[in-house]
Amino acid sequence: MKKNCPARDLLAALLVVMALAGSSVTHALESFTVEDIRVEGVQKIDPGTVFNYLPVKVGDVIDDGIAREAIKALYATGFFQDIELRQDGGVLIVVVVERPSIARVEYSGNKDIRDKAIDDALAQTGVTEGRIFSERQLEQLTQVIQERYFSRGRYSAEVEAVATPLDLNRVAVTLEIDEGRVARIKKINIIGNESFSESDLIDAMLLSEESWHSFITQSGQYSSEKLQADVEILRSYYLDRGFMKFEVLSTDVSISQNKQDIFLAVSISEGDRYTVGGITVEAAAGFSPAELLALVEMPRGEAFSQRALVAARLAIEDRLAENGYAFANVNAIPDLDKELKEVSFLLAVDPGPLVYVRQINIQGNEITRDEVIRREIRQLEASVYSAADIRRSRQRIQRLGFFDEVAIDTAIVPGAVDQVDLNIAVTERSTGNFMFGIGYSDADGALFQTEIVRENLFGTGRGLKFKFDYSKVEQVFDIEYRNPYQTPEGISQALFLRKDAIDTEQSANADYTSDTLGAGIRYRIPISEYNALNLSAAFEQIALSETESTPAEYISFIDRFPDNTNVNLTLGVSKDTRDSIFFPAEGYLRRISVEAAVPGSDLEYFKMSLRGSWHRELLESVVLGLRGDLGYGAGYRDQQELPFFKNYFAGGANSVRGHDARSLGPRSSNSNNDALGGNKRLVGNAEVLVPVPGMVDSPDKRLSLFFDGGQVFGNEHSFDISDLRFSAGVGFHWFSPVGPISLTYALPLNDEPGDDVEKFQFTLGAVFR
């Protein structure tokens, strides 16, 4: 709290009183005509400033009344602490004593509030170096600083302001700040609760009592905004449990004498508890009452829930909006039976007019052509409005991967009650880059990469990729060109050329080398909005060779098939309803595919895989994801086994974390005990993804809790659940500017002797699971 000098305050008050009373006129002024004006006493202020504010000019007639008004006008400038008017013949003499100027301002003691905030307060109140000193402004300064501390819960903060006189009519201002302690809520009392315990109600509130960990969690801090929110939280808590007449009677906040402990009392009236009686829905927009009533989840006899009632109204409005009634409104009209304590509702449906979309406007796409966006839009111009089609349109545009944000707003057409425009605003992300860098994965170790990618080539939506990867295990040269709309119907075509050299000596699995040259074509044919048929054909030449440590299980195959020419066909069917390809919150992916070498190829084999993922938002931004992968492969005709280099593997960041990459499954018979892979694989994962604390609005970062399980089985083994390996852990995932980054820490739950355990795993530059 600011401390003032009593004598100085008394003197300042006396001067003000004297000014207002006109007693600064030490000599009574007889009425006279001003022939000249002279200013005395000014030092830093230009005399012209006095003339400018003085309401008397040469030639005016002045008397005592006008003199008093002149003194008030000059006092109002704030430049002077004493003013006197004198008469010398026809000359008006203005004698002033200037207020001191501020030579310097110093402050100390602030820790919770940074220097910049104090400097802003000084500038706001005008207490800065070179400005005229004012006691009133100094008082405003201390109030502004204290209010800033109060807003941070420091109600015991004190600010002492001292003005020290200096020579040349100057003062030095010093602020001594005692921040005090953040006030904590010592006790919360709920008064009037009978149906629910006080602790349950407090747990539902945002405000909480001080605890031993408050210095870490910042719990127990009082906020008037949170108190207002808690009133609504308590109201919703009771309304969702049947108490329709609930009221918050009062909220009382008191603070201790030392201003560090807060006591909160909330007085409530619960009222009676009501159960749901009958629900009646009006027919509307071609829907029968029974069809609309099926959307309502409010069983008779259960406690009334405001949340369920709101959900019922929204469900009916959404259903109508999907059929063109964009402005549908459902009003719930209650009928209370106070004797039976039942509430019945009539859901009165006002569908409004059938709405059409006049036109669709796109903005924000500086590179991407309009047609690339428009071909993903499922809501057509000049057609009936559909909320479902608009939601799907946004998902499809977002899934292109060309935009950071996609927003679709509905605008009413002026003068038309049955027409709207759709405004689509996109924020483009970089889709083309040249990258030379390094990465790392547990499977391949250090990865050196050169990549030229243009995912949105010239804004057409087409993709061109040139890639060269070099690691201790694999060297890849890859060129691919993709046109997602080879036909107007949305058939996607990709052409690719690939050269691949593998040396597994540095990896966890058994040793061999191979050189592969391949080229092919891929098609994706949409069958419906969510279903697609995938076809590909590839020609490849493979040269296999052994090393000194190649296991016998591989040598036999290499001796029989050292050089191979194959034509491979792949057929797959998929259904994808995910709302995002990065961190989906809703939807699922199901895919079944068969890869086979055509008869007459040097290697005749097939591989079948069944993969699926499912995502559901449990709470706001908290998503549960489930994933499964089942694979089986074998040879056919004269070839009995699956080529070993086509084997399935498990373990590592993309399957069962906590185990070394590709380390699970059958082992070689030699002393190296290398992982061989197998022709059968079963992998499953459950993962909960949550935003990073403090980065809730960041769409490219997530934390996760996961549970993995899986195993690989060889030709001579059948699926055996008891052989599965399980792990659990935590992870951090980030779509960084240099590529996807994933860090996980997993604990194997049932590892066996001989398993390669790797608890911490890091991946840079690989696509997330």
Side-chain angles (χ1 to χ4, degrees), residues 621-696:
S621 300
V622 178
V623 177
L624 171 64
L626 303 177
R627 177 177 176 268
D629 188 350
L630 180 64
Y632 175 77
Y636 68 91
R637 298 214 310 181
D638 295 334
Q639 183 178 321
Q640 298 301 313
E641 75 271 37
L642 181 70
F644 69 85
F645 57 88
K646 294 289 186 178
N647 276 352
Y648 295 103
F649 289 89
N654 289 316
S655 57
V656 185
R657 288 161 284 194
H659 294 267
D660 198 3
R662 306 194 195 109
S663 66
L664 296 179
R667 297 281 181 155
S668 64
S669 57
N670 60 15
S671 59
N672 292 334
N673 195 32
D674 292 321
L676 297 173
N679 71 322
K680 296 178 285 291
R681 182 169 88 153
L682 175 63
V683 172
N685 316 97
E687 193 157 18
V688 176
L689 294 165
V690 299
V692 178
M695 303 180 182
V696 176

Side-chain angles (χ1 to χ4, degrees), residues 449-660:
Q449 184 178 79
T450 299
E451 186 173 284
I452 300 175
V453 177
R454 192 70 184 182
E455 295 179 355
N456 189 12
L457 189 63
F458 306 121
T460 63
R462 301 178 183 184
L464 179 64
K465 178 178 70 175
F466 169 83
K467 184 177 181 180
F468 174 71
D469 292 344
Y470 180 88
S471 71
K472 65 182 182 181
V473 175
E474 188 173 20
Q475 297 85 50
V476 178
F477 175 83
D478 191 4
I479 299 177
E480 180 176 317
Y481 170 77
R482 183 178 62 87
N483 183 356
Y485 276 81
Q486 181 67 24
T487 69
E489 293 76 18
I491 295 178
S492 170
Q493 181 191 73
L495 304 173
F496 60 90
L497 175 66
R498 182 182 179 93
K499 190 176 187 307
D500 194 348
I502 296 176
D503 183 353
T504 62
E505 186 175 1
Q506 300 298 320
S507 68
N509 45 299
D511 298 348
Y512 73 95
T513 64
S514 70
D515 285 291
T516 303
L517 178 63
I521 188 169
R522 285 192 287 264
Y523 287 97
R524 182 182 183 276
I525 305 172
I527 303 173
S528 67
E529 182 61 32
Y530 299 100
N531 298 299
L533 180 67
N534 300 283
L535 301 172
S536 70
F539 171 84
E540 63 180 13
Q541 291 181 329
I542 305 173
L544 301 172
S545 59
E546 59 186 79
T547 68
E548 294 182 357
S549 54
T550 300
E553 291 85 350
Y554 285 2
I555 292 176
S556 173
F557 189 94
I558 294 174
D559 289 342
R560 287 180 289 140
F561 304 102
D563 297 294
N564 311 281
T565 300
N566 306 308
V567 176
N568 299 329
L569 299 179
T570 301
L571 171 64
V573 178
S574 64
K575 183 170 186 177
D576 190 354
T577 67
R578 296 174 299 171
D579 59 354
S580 172
I581 59 176
F582 298 129
F583 291 119
E586 297 287 344
Y588 60 85
L589 169 66
R590 297 172 184 168
R591 178 182 298 141
I592 182 170
S593 63
V594 178
E595 173 192 346
V598 302
S601 298
D602 291 339
L603 299 176
E604 296 177 322
Y605 69 92
F606 68 90
K607 293 179 69 176
M608 296 188 302
S609 64
L610 176 63
R611 297 180 179 179
S613 63
W614 176 89
H615 298 85
R616 177 64 57 85
E617 192 169 37
L618 303 178
L619 301 170
E620 185 177 1
S621 300
V622 178
V623 177
L624 171 64
L626 303 177
R627 177 177 176 268
D629 188 350
L630 180 64
Y632 175 77
Y636 68 91
R637 298 214 310 181
D638 295 334
Q639 183 178 321
Q640 298 301 313
E641 75 271 37
L642 181 70
F644 69 85
F645 57 88
K646 294 289 186 178
N647 276 352
Y648 295 103
F649 289 89
N654 289 316
S655 57
V656 185
R657 288 161 284 194
H659 294 267
D660 198 3

Side-chain angles (χ1 to χ4, degrees), residues 279-284 292-293 295-296 298 308-321 325-333 345-352:
I279 305 292
T280 305
V281 183
E282 292 180 344
L292 297 180
L293 186 60
L295 302 173
V296 179
M298 296 176 63
L309 180 61
V310 172
R313 293 174 53 198
L314 291 176
I316 296 174
E317 290 173 355
D318 288 345
R319 176 60 60 85
L320 295 176
Y325 297 91
F327 307 122
N329 184 47
V330 178
N331 292 315
I333 303 174
F345 287 96
L346 168 63
L347 299 181
V349 182
D350 177 14

